[in-house]
Amino acid sequence: MNWLTNFVRPKVRSLVAPKEIPDNLWVKCSSCGNMIFHRELEQNSMVCSHCGYHMRLSAKKRLDMLFDYGEYKRIELPQVKHDPIKFKDLKRYSDRLKDYRKKTKEDDAIIVAHGTLGGMPVVMAAFNFGFMGGSMGVAVGEGIVAASELAVLQEAPLIIVSSSGGARMQEGILSLMQMARTTLAVNKVKEKGLPYISVLTDPTTGGVTASFAMLGDVAIAEPECIIGFAGARVIEQTIRQTLPEGFQRAEYLLEHGMVDMVVPRKELRQTLSRVIGLLCNAKPAGDLIPLDSGKKTKADDK
Amino acid sequence: MNFLDFEKTIAELESKIEGLRYMEEADGINIADEISRLQNKVNKQISSIYNKLSPWQRTQVARHSDRPHCLDYINKLIEDFTPLAGDRCFGEDRAIIGGLGRFEGRSVVVIGQEKGNDTKTRLEHNFGMAKPEGYRKAIRLMEMADKFNLPVLSFVDTAGAYPGIEAEARGQAEAIAKSIETCLKIKVPLICTIIGEGGSGGAIAIATANTVLMMEHSIYSVISPEGCASILWRSADETKTAANALKITSNDLLSLKIIDEIIPEPLGGAHRDHAAAIANAGKVISKHLDELLVLEPDAIHAHRQEKFLKMTRKDTLDG
Ligand SMILES: [Zn+2]
């Protein structure tokens, strides 16, 4: 049984969501402190032109940037039980969800879409760190399951772009179970001989790292992003030592053999296209589709 | 016996009984009668306290230092236990015990976290907090079980995977992810029993099983109540509130359909009667193992996959 039969065919949602325009036309780089004009920043894929700092991207921006011409079809994710354990800390979880939905105009912390990359059909899932720190609860778990099942159905490679603080505490044990469920899901893709590429972006930690994000056939990290299991503060408190320079950064993981490569955002699209093309022994796509990522997309024109 | 803060009345009565045992027959009081009267009172007291333990109290019981640990279960339930060491890559992590043995006459592979019982053994086992080597040893043993068609029995008792520089450097996250993956891949029965603390990723790494059982007073959680309180309430004073909110008790997990069965503990918890608690576990594990052993390898594999696929879905939770 496939979820597609249970939950409507993948519906094409509007490609044109309201554009993300910063309140201020000038954005301050949180790394070097320089002010950057927003248009310049957007054209540079939200990478600081002064110091190369990679700012976090919303899921939508990420997909706009990676799919050919910024065109893709989002799929509707299966309905999940909201606030399954009736959680309340300083605020009700159900209220928190409402607030984040209003703020991000998304249902939860993941978007799943399909389209082409370098001319090849791919399924992509991207995390929204802005939605409760990209935390993984049942909805995100279902998103990964749906993305994996769609990849199997379409016989397409799967790309998951992670940006998450880990499991969503407000869903208690149900969020822990998503580690097993997402691992199961990406394995269905791998077992079919289809590529599963894990793209790790700032930050990828906790239960997300300790499940599907570390299981890619190929693991690609963005420069300087934090990747790890335990949080730095927890480690410091446990061992009472200061952490080494660059600890849990992408380059540290590369050095320790935990990721295949660290790729600047500007080269991510080309790299993904090349890696998938090589894995599938497909014809080089370079001549067919222009691969520069900072260009105007069709969606922008509408 | 170490008493917990909410066991004060029990402790007082038991020390009275203890005192009476050393008293000479005097003043015409029948000491034996008095002891049995007090013993009755203690039992009533214990049952009234243990029948309504709060989630935080259960957490304390689950972590009780006198509670039977992994090696106690192995010693009582497994014959010919033959420990196997090492991940063939970096080292031997004694936070995770693993090996071959016989459960009710049948060869099995056993994997479990051991917390230790005193300072020396706690250090030896790193308080049950495994490093990547521990999970990689678990992976190796699960693969061995698969190759030789031996069921796997896992015992979970950990505050979580060890948070340290070296552990991160050697790929703690990858080791846990691979361990979950291996749990899902093998075609032999995998039965997990949470005997004390089921702490987050470090627990699920060996708990992605066909059958997940919980000792009555054990807990299983995405984060410790202390950790949750400090992050979401920004206050250690809210640990009890967090324990309540997180839904971590065996009853909670059974009703959320995360676990398959609760193993009853003797009156006053497993720490009051190791033999009875472990015997109960043996019976329940045996029943579930028999059910799984009639299935073909592919069916055992599919059973585990379908179970986790359905888990936490709306219709599963509501149904
Ligand atoms: Zn900068």
Side-chain angles (χ1 to χ4, degrees):
Chain A
M1 285 296 275
N2 193 286
W3 68 270
L4 289 174
T5 53
N6 300 339
F7 304 90
V8 246
R9 300 242 141 232
K11 244 191 244 167
V12 186
R13 280 224 203 148
S14 162
L15 288 177
V16 214
K19 274 178 75 175
E20 296 166 44
I21 298 173
D23 299 336
N24 197 321
L25 290 180
W26 291 86
V27 181
K28 189 175 177 179
C29 170
S30 62
S31 180
C32 70
N34 274 305
M35 301 299 286
I36 314 151
F37 191 57
H38 77 98
R39 192 161 296 277
E40 182 192 340
L41 194 59
E42 290 209 3
Q43 274 179 1
N44 207 22
S45 315
M46 304 300 283
V47 175
C48 174
S49 45
H50 301 274
C51 70
Y53 174 69
H54 284 53
M55 299 183 188
R56 284 174 191 153
L57 284 185
S58 71
K60 192 187 162 292
K61 264 220 164 79
R62 178 68 69 174
L63 297 182
D64 288 350
M65 187 190 98
L66 290 177
F67 278 108
D68 292 339
Y69 306 114
E71 272 182 358
Y72 51 90
K73 288 177 183 156
R74 283 182 63 164
I75 63 163
E76 263 193 19
L77 297 176
Q79 283 296 310
V80 298
K81 191 163 180 166
H82 297 297
D83 193 11
I85 61 168
K86 302 269 169 284
F87 194 93
K88 181 174 173 264
D89 45 73
L90 299 174
K91 199 171 170 180
R92 273 176 213 285
Y93 174 46
S94 55
D95 290 339
R96 243 181 239 283
L97 279 175
K98 265 183 222 150
D99 292 349
Y100 278 104
R101 283 180 186 146
K102 213 170 150 190
K103 194 177 122 198
T104 62
K105 299 187 176 61
E106 299 288 352
D107 281 345
D108 213 291
I110 198 165
I111 298 183
V112 178
H114 62 109
T116 63
L117 196 166
M120 295 171 292
V122 294
V123 174
M124 242 189 276
F127 277 72
N128 233 343
F129 189 79
F131 195 107
M132 290 189 81
S135 57
M136 175 163 72
V138 181
V140 167
E142 281 300 313
I144 303 283
V145 171
S148 302
E149 290 185 339
L150 185 63
V152 170
L153 194 75
Q154 296 188 341
E155 295 181 18
L158 172 68
I159 300 168
I160 303 178
V161 186
S162 303
S163 175
S164 170
R168 188 173 293 172
M169 284 173 282
Q170 291 88 344
E171 293 186 15
I173 193 74
L174 302 184
S175 62
L176 187 70
M177 293 303 121
Q178 305 315 313
M179 290 174 70
R181 301 185 73 241
T182 54
T183 298
L184 170 71
V186 297
N187 264 292
K188 297 225 183 247
V189 178
K190 290 162 78 174
E191 280 160 15
K192 285 276 172 202
L194 298 164
Y196 159 46
I197 315 292
S198 178
V199 178
L200 303 113
T201 73
D202 195 57
T204 302
T205 59
V208 166
T209 326
S211 59
F212 65 90
M214 269 293 156
L215 295 171
D217 292 305
V218 174
I220 301 175
E222 283 202 330
E224 289 181 55
C225 72
I226 291 283
I227 305 167
F229 175 65
R233 233 181 315 153
V234 174
I235 298 173
E236 269 179 332
Q237 281 163 7
T238 308
I239 60 170
R240 292 167 211 284
Q241 284 176 40
T242 39
L243 301 173
E245 178 75 19
F247 181 65
Q248 291 185 328
R249 299 265 171 202
E251 295 74 13
Y252 179 91
L253 271 92
L254 182 70
E255 210 51 48
H256 285 86
M258 291 301 146
V259 295
D260 289 285
M261 52 186 111
V262 176
V263 176
R265 195 170 286 166
K266 249 195 145 36
E267 295 162 27
L268 184 57
R269 217 176 99 79
Q270 293 96 317
T271 307
L272 283 169
S273 164
R274 187 174 68 250
V275 166
I276 291 171
L278 288 167
L279 285 172
C280 300
N281 194 21
K283 271 193 196 131
D287 319 336
L288 305 173
I289 312 274
L291 287 173
D292 59 317
S293 55
K295 70 176 177 348
K296 232 174 139 186
T297 62
K298 280 189 183 171
D300 285 336
D301 292 330
K302 283 174 197 163
Chain B
M1 171 76 68
N2 293 307
F3 290 95
L4 299 167
D5 56 8
F6 57 86
E7 294 181 318
K8 215 175 152 197
T9 52
I10 301 170
E12 280 165 4
L13 283 168
E14 287 199 342
S15 82
K16 245 187 219 171
I17 294 172
E18 220 29 52
L20 281 175
R21 282 192 211 285
Y22 293 105
M23 240 166 91
E24 299 284 322
E25 201 75 40
D27 296 342
I29 306 168
N30 186 330
I31 305 257
D33 280 359
E34 182 63 7
I35 288 180
S36 106
R37 190 184 68 82
L38 285 173
Q39 195 59 55
N40 269 334
K41 219 173 151 188
V42 167
N43 289 350
K44 266 191 197 147
Q45 195 57 251
I46 293 177
S47 93
S48 89
I49 290 174
Y50 272 76
N51 277 336
K52 47 178 195 329
L53 288 181
S54 71
W56 174 242
Q57 289 170 333
R58 285 227 177 168
T59 306
Q60 290 170 280
V61 175
R63 295 171 179 169
H64 199 294
S65 57
D66 297 335
R67 202 172 162 80
H69 291 151
C70 180
L71 281 170
D72 298 313
Y73 283 83
I74 291 175
N75 290 337
K76 288 240 165 60
L77 295 177
I78 308 294
E79 287 164 30
D80 287 345
F81 182 61
T82 307
L84 299 172
D87 67 345
R88 298 298 185 272
C89 175
F90 179 82
E92 156 67 350
D93 184 349
R94 293 189 178 83
I96 291 188
I97 305 287
L100 294 159
R102 284 180 203 282
F103 175 66
E104 299 189 326
R106 164 185 299 279
S107 285
V108 294
V109 163
V110 183
I111 298 166
Q113 288 119 350
E114 170 62 43
K115 284 185 168 180
N117 300 311
D118 50 32
T119 309
K120 185 175 160 280
T121 52
R122 280 184 199 121
L123 287 171
E124 178 190 341
H125 297 292
N126 197 31
F127 302 84
M129 293 192 287
K131 295 173 185 166
E133 304 73 82
Y135 295 108
R136 290 184 180 128
K137 174 166 77 177
I139 292 166
R140 185 172 76 83
L141 297 182
M142 284 191 271
E143 283 169 350
M144 177 191 282
D146 203 31
K147 176 175 171 187
F148 292 99
N149 198 26
L150 307 176
V152 180
L153 305 182
S154 73
F155 296 93
V156 166
D157 193 11
T158 183
Y162 184 69
I165 296 174
E166 296 287 294
E168 294 288 317
R170 294 195 292 271
Q172 186 70 288
E174 193 268 356
I176 292 170
K178 274 274 163 61
S179 191
I180 296 172
E181 184 174 70
T182 310
C183 284
L184 286 162
K185 268 185 180 169
I186 57 176
K187 296 191 171 182
V188 291
L190 170 52
I191 297 182
C192 170
T193 310
I194 295 162
I195 57 175
E197 236 183 327
S200 197
I204 198 172
I206 58 167
T208 310
N210 290 92
T211 309
V212 180
L213 309 167
M214 273 178 90
M215 294 303 290
E216 186 182 349
H217 299 306
S218 66
I219 57 161
Y220 191 11
S221 181
V222 67
I223 185 168
S224 70
E226 293 94 329
C228 184
S230 91
I231 297 171
L232 293 184
W233 280 267
R234 295 187 194 91
S235 159
D237 301 337
E238 299 292 343
T239 298
K240 286 178 194 170
T241 321
N244 268 327
L246 281 167
K247 304 279 185 285
I248 57 179
T249 68
S250 54
N251 315 54
D252 290 329
L253 270 75
L254 189 67
S255 66
L256 290 166
K257 295 174 185 134
I258 304 296
I259 62 162
D260 298 276
E261 192 171 336
I262 297 170
I263 300 168
E265 293 189 21
L267 183 66
H271 56 288
R272 286 198 160 74
D273 189 345
H274 283 202
I278 296 171
N280 287 354
K283 262 183 251 158
V284 179
I285 293 169
S286 166
K287 180 186 76 180
H288 286 279
L289 185 57
D290 287 345
E291 282 170 20
L292 289 167
L293 281 169
V294 301
L295 301 176
E296 292 294 315
D298 284 336
I300 291 167
H301 177 253
H303 168 269
R304 204 181 307 117
Q305 302 239 330
E306 277 160 26
K307 171 187 163 158
F308 279 92
L309 199 57
K310 280 188 198 139
M311 200 179 274
T312 73
R313 280 192 164 153
K314 199 169 191 292
D315 44 354
T316 307
L317 290 169
D318 291 337

